[in-house]
Structure formats: C-alpha cells, structure tokens
Amino acid sequence: MPYFKKYFYCFVLAFFFLETNLYAQQLARTADRHNYTSGALIQERPQVKWRFQTEGQVYSSPVLYADKIIIGSCDSNLYALNKADGSVFWKYKTGGEVRATVAVDQQVVYFLSADGYFYALDVHTGKQLWRFKTGGERSYDSWDYFHSSAAVESGIVYFGSGDGHIYALDAKNGKEIWKYKTAGIVHASPTVTAHEILIGSFDGYFYCLEKNGDLRWKFKTVGEHYFPKGEV
C-alpha cells in the first residue's frame, strides 16, 4: 500500500506539472457535456464579489446565460440573478424543491421540480411557457440529494424522473414523445450524443437508448455494501 500511494502521488504531481491547459466542466451547458472554460480564466485566490441568500438549501449547480446566473433552491424557487451584483432579475415559484440543474436552449430554461412537474420558462422574464406532469417525484434515501438535470438536443428535451421513467419531450410545447421505464428512480442526468441517450437508474443499470426510445443495451453495475443494487 505505501508503494501504491507513493506512485499515485507521483502520477498526480506529474499530471499537474506536465498538463499546462487545465479545464473546468460546466454541467448542463451542452447536452453532450463537452463544454468547458479555460483554467487561465480562474483566479488563484478568488474573492467574494457578492452572495445571495435563498430560503433553503442549494443543491443545483449554477448555469450562466448571458448576464444571468440561473439556479434552483430547496425553497421551491428558481432564481435568475444578475451575474455582476447578485440582484434578482426574476424568480419562479414551483410546488416543490428545485434540486436539479437547469438546461437553457433557444432562450428557454428547462428544469424538474420535486412537485412532479417539468417546467419550461422564458429565460428573460421567468414566465412559464409550459409544464409537463410526470408520475411524481420521490426520494430513494437520505443520501438522495439531487434530481435529474435535463439535456436538450435537436428540439427534444431528455430527463429522468422519480417515477422510474426516462422522458423525451417536445421542447416547444412539452408534449411527450416517448418514455422508457426502468425498475428504479432515475435521478441521474442524461448525456446525449448524435445517436443515443446515456443515463443510469437506481435499479443498478446504466442504459443506452436509441433516439426513438428503444433500448440499445444496458449494463449492470457491481454494487457494494451500502448500495447493493449498484444504484446510479
């Protein structure tokens, strides 16, 4: 074990010395998650410029769109904040906690709420454009912090639900195109490529679906003591 740690640390140090172009991922900016920002743009010792207090815990990740930072809170609101000073452009009240990270596409904000609805809002005003009712949200256990964050690609929005389904909706009107049933809660976030949707479920399987919702393949994870099914 000491030798393993020694070589592991050497590998980590070598990586940082040799790699001169580090990047930071930003969840949910693109459906395939290939987006990034240069590490050169991040200060070595960043200072607090402003902070904003919601009335609940914050589990969702912020998404930047133009001059707005969009983030959900367990106070049931989705907030659009001014990135310059933290002032509120708008906020939208749902019927449940907002633990998902939003997706923004074609000036529309897409997100899931614990009230069992999936919402589409105008990114500029926060006005509801449509909402879609799932079979309802539920928590797996006390460690189940997050809800599925949507991915939008070619006019279709994909997300998972606590009702055990993976959904594909028409991004313009919220009409269901298809849904795929798994045997567990789906709180993982989908990654979308040109030909498939990749997402995991609490049933212990990782799924690869065709764009029409058919199963291409699924992989059974191993699991361990506290997660015997291999919950994803």
Side-chain angles (χ1 to χ4, degrees), residues 17 30 35 38 60 67 79 85 94 96 102 124 138 188 196-197 204:
F17 281 121
T30 59
N35 46 285
S38 171
S60 72
D67 58 348
Y79 293 91
D85 57 18
T94 74
V102 305
H124 301 294
R138 59 192 178 96
E196 57 269 317
I197 300 97

Side-chain angles (χ1 to χ4, degrees), residues 1-231:
M1 183 62 71
Y3 290 103
F4 172 79
K5 289 183 178 179
K6 176 181 177 181
Y7 289 121
F8 175 77
Y9 293 139
C10 287
F11 172 80
V12 172
L13 289 173
F15 175 84
F16 281 108
F17 281 121
L18 295 175
E19 179 59 70
T20 59
N21 206 12
L22 299 177
Y23 300 101
Q25 286 293 105
Q26 300 180 66
L27 177 66
R29 283 291 301 280
T30 59
D32 60 8
R33 315 298 188 199
H34 284 174
N35 46 285
Y36 55 80
T37 185
S38 171
L41 301 177
I42 303 173
Q43 298 180 21
E44 184 178 353
R45 292 185 175 86
Q47 302 297 314
V48 176
K49 186 174 182 179
W50 54 261
R51 63 180 183 176
F52 176 81
Q53 179 72 55
T54 75
E55 296 181 6
Q57 294 175 304
V58 176
Y59 290 107
S60 72
S61 299
V63 168
L64 180 64
Y65 180 84
D67 58 348
K68 297 177 179 63
I69 293 175
I70 304 173
I71 191 161
S73 170
C74 288
D75 65 8
S76 301
N77 286 297
L78 184 74
Y79 293 91
L81 307 178
N82 188 322
K83 73 175 184 180
D85 57 18
S87 58
V88 180
F89 280 120
W90 52 260
K91 68 177 181 179
Y92 182 87
K93 182 75 170 179
T94 74
E97 297 178 344
V98 182
R99 293 170 174 253
T101 297
V102 305
V104 184
D105 185 70
Q106 301 296 313
Q107 304 182 64
V108 180
V109 183
Y110 301 95
F111 69 100
L112 182 67
S113 171
D115 62 8
Y117 283 93
F118 186 87
Y119 292 87
L121 311 180
D122 183 288
V123 71
H124 301 294
T125 65
K127 179 182 178 181
Q128 179 184 304
L129 302 176
W130 53 259
R131 68 176 184 172
F132 172 82
K133 184 172 178 57
T134 70
E137 276 300 321
R138 59 192 178 96
S139 295
Y140 185 75
D141 56 24
S142 58
W143 301 104
D144 184 12
Y145 297 118
F146 305 100
H147 291 152
S148 181
S149 299
V152 188
E153 200 268 335
S154 299
I156 301 176
V157 56
Y158 304 92
F159 67 96
S161 171
D163 66 11
H165 288 93
I166 301 160
Y167 286 94
L169 307 181
D170 188 316
K172 292 182 179 179
N173 53 34
K175 300 296 184 182
E176 182 182 307
I177 299 174
W178 55 257
K179 64 181 178 181
Y180 181 89
K181 176 68 174 176
T182 77
I185 292 172
V186 185
H187 281 167
S189 300
T191 291
V192 182
T193 74
H195 304 290
E196 57 269 317
I197 300 97
L198 303 165
I199 191 170
S201 170
F202 275 31
D203 63 7
Y205 283 92
F206 186 77
Y207 293 86
C208 177
L209 304 181
E210 305 284 356
K211 284 296 185 69
N212 63 2
D214 290 341
L215 177 67
R216 180 183 297 182
W217 53 259
K218 63 180 181 179
F219 173 79
K220 181 67 179 74
T221 61
V222 177
E224 52 88 36
H225 178 71
Y226 293 103
F227 299 96
K229 294 181 181 179
E231 293 88 331

